[in-house]
Amino acid sequence: MPEYEFRDVYVPRGVSRKAATQLLTDQAEYGHWELARTRLYPDGSRRVRLRRRIIRQLRPTW
């Protein structure tokens, strides 16, 4: 079963949808994050949870 690490990103209500999309696109492209969950609050702010897979390196046995 894959292991993931998570990052929560808070997007204030004054940020446009286009700017929020660009922010998340940059995170996905350069940080290898993927969208796990988005929550929209009544005041217009958003909380986004990003995840990326943890890749474990196995030590060689000599």
Side-chain angles (χ1 to χ4, degrees):
M1 180 150 194
E3 292 182 53
Y4 292 97
E5 65 177 310
F6 293 92
R7 173 184 284 178
D8 290 326
V9 177
Y10 176 74
V11 181
R13 69 179 187 180
V15 177
S16 69
R17 180 180 285 222
K18 185 175 179 178
T21 301
Q22 185 61 44
L23 171 80
L24 296 174
T25 301
D26 290 343
Q27 292 289 323
E29 188 172 342
Y30 300 115
H32 303 287
W33 293 96
E34 61 184 33
L35 185 64
R37 179 180 211 170
T38 302
R39 187 163 188 189
L40 178 63
Y41 290 99
D43 68 349
S45 64
R46 297 175 191 91
R47 187 165 309 271
V48 179
R49 177 165 272 199
L50 303 173
R51 72 177 185 181
R52 68 178 167 190
R53 193 168 179 187
I54 298 173
I55 300 173
R56 303 267 184 215
Q57 296 290 328
L58 297 176
R59 292 186 192 188
T61 56
W62 299 100

